[in-house]
Amino acid sequence: MTEPLLQVEDLRVKFSTEDGIVHAVDGISYTVNAGQTLGIVGESGSGKSVSSLTMLGLTRNQGADIEGRIMFQGKDLVTLPDDDLRKIRGNEIAMIFQDPLSSLHPFYKVGVQLTEAVHAHRNVSKSAARDRAVELLDLVGIPDPSRRVDQFPHEFSGGMRQRVMIAMALANEPKLLIADEPTTALDVTVQAQILALLDDLQSRLGMAIIIITHDLGVVAEITDQIAVMYAGRIVERAPTSAIFGSPQHPYTWGLLKSIPRLDSPRGEELVPIAGRPPSLIKRPSGCHFHPRCPYVREEHKRIDPGLEPVPDDPTHSVACLLTAELRQRIWRGLSEGETSATLRHLVVEEEQQPATAHAAPRVAEDDPS
Amino acid sequence: MGRYIIRRILWGIAMLFIVSAVIFLIFYILPSADPAVLRAGRNAGPAQIAQIRHSLGLDKPVWRQYLDYMQQVFLHFNFGYSYQYNVPVRQLIFSRLPATIWLTVGAVIIWLAVGLSIGIVSAVRRRSILDRTTMTGSLALISAPVFWLGLVSLYLFADDIGVWKIFPGQGAFAAANNPLQKAEAMILPWLVLAAATSAIYARYMRASMIDTMSEDYIRTARAKGLPERTVIRRHAVRSAITPIVTLIGLDVGTLLAGNAILTETVFNIPGVGRLLYNAIGVSDLTVIQGITLFGAFFIVFFNLVVDIAYAYLDPRVRYS
């Protein structure tokens, strides 16, 4: 097996603030192979954006305390000097962002911003850079690119602006493209177009993609692997088919149950995940998810689960204290339309305590938030 | 773009009419002294005063007086005669304008150079010792009254009374014969006038830069792999300076309108501000009125310049 394109090992990012230390990313590891697509899924504040901004060194001047390793083509991006990292940024690793409206400079023509990306890493003539800009706009499916190249961002629609952002990211044919919530700010129909475009570009250019999103539905179609993040950690990591086929973590179940589906029975309710994301300054004890977990047990408030492979599948890892057999039974129940309230008795039975009459989703009394 | 400029020009002209009417009304309603009495001199009888009142047209209804005045101003560029000096107001103002323009232009260049660069560096090196020192210093400069700062600078650096006899002092500008001497004479006034304003500009620029640096497009510029100084110069400063342009227009306008009155008085510079100061002292109404109208013109004019400059700086304005 060849060496992976990107290997993140035990990455930790902390910020010191007046209120205390924010543990934005707390020991995450993952790998991305050349040409592969990884989806990183989680709520806002789960550290998914910070981890990728850190990869590009964009959290460095914000007083971030960074530990761990980010190996990219034999170089550790955590310790790489600023100027060497700058040469990778926008060149070998490119990034697009959530809001294409504010991510383009309002005062410069689209063509100027595109050629700037080319000139940042290539010593080419002005006219060559301009030709490249037109070519890039054409590549991302913007009609009439030789005219559009001389327009300002405010003359483009939201979807078209995101295409411009993608064109800019592709300017130097990166080996890895990081897309941070690329479709969140767009209309649903446009979302699908942008995702299809990314998928198409990947098969044509052969780059690896990391898609960061809060919406599992977005990444279902185009990712090979999915990592689910919660409170700065990866709580479940598996091939996409396994995440949808046999999800293991209660948080992943929650995410899956909150996606609207066309084929679900009429009248079936969407189930939001109860509670709020935890504070990253004062995190819950034990399993960080325990205050919101419907299947919590007393000992889960003390024991901090590690990310372990599930018994029958080495490519699938989960950080959960429930036994594999129990998780399987709960997921089967959930997929048959039962709710966490009715399934909680499974946990209680296993705990061999007298079954309490009502086992509604319980919020721990010692919830620090 | 052409239509935008024409619209702004028309609006500017309308503005001047409104301002002129308001000025005229204020001076009519609130006469600090009766112009006819002032004109007549100390020993004049009532008949004499009435005669002067008639010859000046002060016995006509106010709207008639206003129309006469405006007709003179617009058709003949005539602002009336000074009671005190007995010369046309226009001539008085024109003889004083060069000194004020000298003072203003030099001070503007200094405060922009100093203020903007301090603002940019403080924003980029936020919370550094440099940032804290300059921001504290700027607060001190903003708090120091111009006349005090002027007197202290004379006491310390003027070549006649100064502790260190380095720069020409009071009245040097009036005595200067060539541009070089004039510039030399202006060094202290420029610094004094620019001090407080550059401090204000430094603070504005710093705040504007800090806002801009947190914009998404700055992150995009960094993600492209541009060197940090290009990110700052081409992307951040370019946006952050736009609101400052508005300030420049207003400040230049008000300075030319006589707002440098304190600096001109302290350094004995024969500018428009001094003229206004003297005119107020002796209730020379036509002069006060003339300078106010001139001032209004400068402010309207520089606002127009700002609006047009703004359209060039921010492409989004052009199309709206």
Side-chain angles (χ1 to χ4, degrees):
Chain A
M1 197 175 140
T2 54
E3 186 154 290
L5 179 71
L6 176 80
Q7 194 160 7
V8 176
E9 290 167 28
D10 199 27
L11 181 69
R12 289 166 199 274
V13 185
K14 286 178 272 189
F15 297 96
S16 297
T17 67
E18 283 172 13
D19 302 323
I21 295 169
V22 179
H23 300 264
V25 178
D26 189 28
I28 64 169
S29 306
Y30 58 82
T31 56
V32 180
N33 293 323
Q36 253 203 348
T37 303
L38 169 73
I40 299 182
V41 183
E43 291 165 298
S44 42
S46 61
K48 53 195 188 331
S49 293
V50 171
S51 63
S52 47
L53 288 172
T54 301
M55 202 177 298
L56 294 178
L58 296 177
T59 53
R60 281 188 183 181
N61 51 7
Q62 294 168 13
D65 178 14
I66 304 163
E67 288 168 47
R69 298 208 301 166
I70 303 174
M71 299 306 294
F72 177 79
Q73 297 190 316
K75 291 175 202 150
D76 183 1
L77 303 184
V78 171
T79 55
L80 206 62
D82 281 339
D83 207 50
D84 293 344
L85 190 56
R86 181 185 71 71
K87 286 175 187 151
I88 291 179
R89 214 153 54 208
N91 191 11
E92 288 173 276
I93 305 179
M95 189 157 179
I96 58 175
F97 301 98
Q98 175 170 350
D99 189 356
L101 196 87
S102 57
S103 294
L104 289 163
H105 200 298
F107 294 176
Y108 291 111
K109 286 174 182 167
V110 158
V112 172
Q113 303 191 48
L114 282 165
T115 52
E116 196 179 43
V118 176
H119 279 303
H121 302 284
R122 302 263 185 287
N123 213 348
V124 295
S125 71
K126 269 190 180 169
S127 63
R130 194 192 145 86
D131 291 346
R132 176 76 178 140
V134 175
E135 185 189 317
L136 285 165
L137 290 182
D138 192 39
L139 180 72
V140 296
I142 292 179
D144 201 2
S146 50
R147 186 177 63 86
R148 297 291 259 169
V149 76
D150 286 321
Q151 292 187 332
F152 288 96
H154 66 263
E155 297 171 77
F156 287 73
S157 68
M160 284 295 162
R161 276 184 232 185
Q162 193 60 293
R163 284 174 194 262
V164 171
M165 282 298 289
I166 294 172
M168 203 147 80
L170 297 179
N172 297 301
E173 296 174 343
K175 297 197 174 63
L176 174 63
L177 176 69
I178 303 171
D180 188 352
E181 303 263 9
T183 59
T184 307
L186 305 174
D187 290 343
V188 181
T189 49
V190 181
Q191 284 187 8
Q193 290 170 13
I194 294 291
L195 289 173
L197 173 68
L198 284 175
D199 205 25
D200 172 52
L201 288 169
Q202 179 176 38
S203 56
R204 279 201 274 167
L205 306 174
M207 66 200 164
I209 300 183
I210 296 179
I211 292 196
I212 299 167
T213 179
H214 63 276
D215 184 354
L216 263 178
V218 163
V219 291
E221 298 287 323
I222 65 169
T223 56
D224 303 303
Q225 293 263 334
I226 288 180
V228 179
M229 280 190 77
Y230 188 80
R233 295 186 180 176
I234 292 176
V235 292
E236 183 165 5
R237 190 180 60 207
T240 304
S241 57
I243 288 284
F244 286 92
S246 61
Q248 299 285 328
H249 198 280
Y251 179 63
T252 315
W253 300 336
L255 289 177
L256 286 167
K257 281 287 160 193
S258 56
I259 307 174
R261 295 170 62 107
L262 279 177
D263 58 354
S264 57
R266 266 181 81 99
E268 192 192 65
E269 278 180 56
L270 289 176
V271 189
I273 303 173
R276 286 183 296 127
S279 152
L280 294 176
I281 294 175
K282 209 179 158 202
R283 294 167 298 174
S285 61
C287 172
H288 291 348
F289 188 59
H290 88 251
R292 300 172 72 185
C293 183
Y295 315 106
V296 63
R297 283 193 214 158
E298 209 47 46
E299 68 203 54
H300 297 178
K301 298 173 186 170
R302 295 189 310 274
I303 308 168
D304 192 0
L307 192 64
E308 310 277 350
V310 301
D312 50 349
D313 185 359
T315 62
H316 192 159
S317 306
V318 66
C320 182
L321 295 165
L322 299 171
T323 62
E325 189 257 343
L326 188 55
R327 290 196 299 254
Q328 211 175 354
R329 282 172 61 195
I330 295 175
W331 174 243
R332 203 181 307 129
L334 283 172
S335 28
E336 281 161 8
E338 289 190 65
T339 64
S340 55
T342 57
L343 286 164
R344 169 144 177 93
H345 69 90
L346 292 173
V347 181
V348 181
E349 270 165 27
E350 208 204 43
E351 208 172 10
Q352 289 174 346
Q353 279 177 359
T356 39
H358 294 288
R362 201 172 104 195
V363 177
E365 295 78 13
D366 58 345
D367 182 4
S369 62
Chain B
M1 190 64 200
R3 279 183 54 195
Y4 172 82
I5 294 175
I6 289 168
R7 212 166 59 217
R8 299 310 304 180
I9 290 176
L10 288 178
W11 178 235
I13 291 172
M15 200 68 188
L16 275 181
F17 267 101
I18 296 169
V19 168
S20 67
V22 171
I23 293 170
F24 198 87
L25 210 64
I26 289 175
F27 282 107
Y28 181 80
I29 296 171
L30 303 168
S32 54
D34 187 339
V37 175
L38 286 170
R39 186 87 172 137
R42 206 166 280 178
N43 299 318
Q48 226 173 338
I49 292 173
Q51 198 254 320
I52 289 172
R53 180 160 295 154
H54 180 72
S55 74
L56 289 177
L58 294 173
D59 52 351
K60 292 182 195 166
V62 60
W63 60 269
R64 184 77 238 176
Q65 287 184 43
Y66 173 67
L67 285 185
D68 286 348
Y69 182 73
M70 290 312 279
Q71 197 181 357
Q72 285 299 310
V73 169
F74 275 89
L75 296 183
H76 308 289
F77 204 58
N78 176 13
F79 294 83
Y81 284 81
S82 159
Y83 305 136
Q84 189 193 2
Y85 301 105
N86 215 2
V87 292
V89 170
R90 178 180 63 183
Q91 189 188 322
L92 269 180
I93 294 177
F94 278 175
S95 72
R96 299 300 191 97
L97 257 182
T100 300
I101 291 174
W102 263 92
L103 180 61
T104 305
V105 170
V108 169
I109 292 171
I110 292 175
W111 90 50
L112 285 183
V114 175
L116 296 188
S117 39
I118 287 180
I120 293 168
V121 174
S122 304
V124 172
R125 305 214 181 294
R126 204 173 158 192
R127 286 194 259 276
S128 65
I129 295 174
L130 185 98
D131 177 28
R132 287 172 207 273
T133 321
T134 51
M135 285 307 113
T136 315
S138 71
L139 203 60
L141 280 182
I142 292 170
S143 320
V146 169
F147 60 85
W148 177 82
L149 209 59
L151 291 177
V152 169
S153 73
L154 282 172
Y155 174 72
L156 291 178
F157 304 115
D159 57 5
D160 42 8
I161 59 163
V163 179
W164 299 283
K165 303 185 190 320
I166 304 174
F167 300 118
Q170 268 195 323
F173 185 81
N177 298 319
N178 57 53
L180 199 71
Q181 279 180 1
K182 286 183 181 178
E184 213 188 337
M186 276 292 178
I187 293 175
L188 278 186
W190 279 339
L191 291 176
V192 168
L193 184 59
T197 322
S198 47
I200 292 170
Y201 274 60
R203 294 185 146 247
Y204 265 112
M205 190 63 191
R206 177 178 181 272
S208 183
M209 271 296 277
I210 288 173
D211 277 355
T212 311
M213 292 296 278
S214 64
E215 290 281 354
D216 286 348
Y217 53 78
I218 298 297
R219 187 182 57 190
T220 306
R222 289 199 178 116
K224 275 194 232 181
L226 296 175
E228 188 62 16
R229 59 171 193 285
T230 311
V231 173
I232 289 166
R233 275 202 304 235
R234 284 248 291 275
H235 291 252
V237 172
R238 174 70 169 71
S239 303
I241 213 160
T242 313
I244 309 287
V245 171
T246 319
L247 279 184
I248 302 173
L250 278 180
D251 283 333
V252 172
T254 47
L255 276 185
L256 290 177
N259 211 24
I261 189 164
L262 288 172
T263 314
E264 287 181 0
T265 308
V266 170
F267 290 98
N268 204 3
I269 298 165
V272 178
R274 276 269 311 290
L275 179 66
L276 180 63
Y277 176 77
N278 292 338
I280 292 171
V282 297
S283 299
D284 200 345
L285 283 185
T286 44
V287 175
I288 302 173
Q289 211 168 16
I291 293 177
T292 318
L293 207 54
F294 248 83
F297 167 76
F298 280 127
I299 291 171
V300 168
F301 175 76
F302 279 100
N303 263 314
L304 185 69
V305 172
V306 164
D307 283 340
I308 294 168
Y310 219 98
Y312 272 101
L313 286 173
D314 187 345
R316 288 169 300 183
V317 174
R318 274 175 239 170
Y319 301 88
S320 52

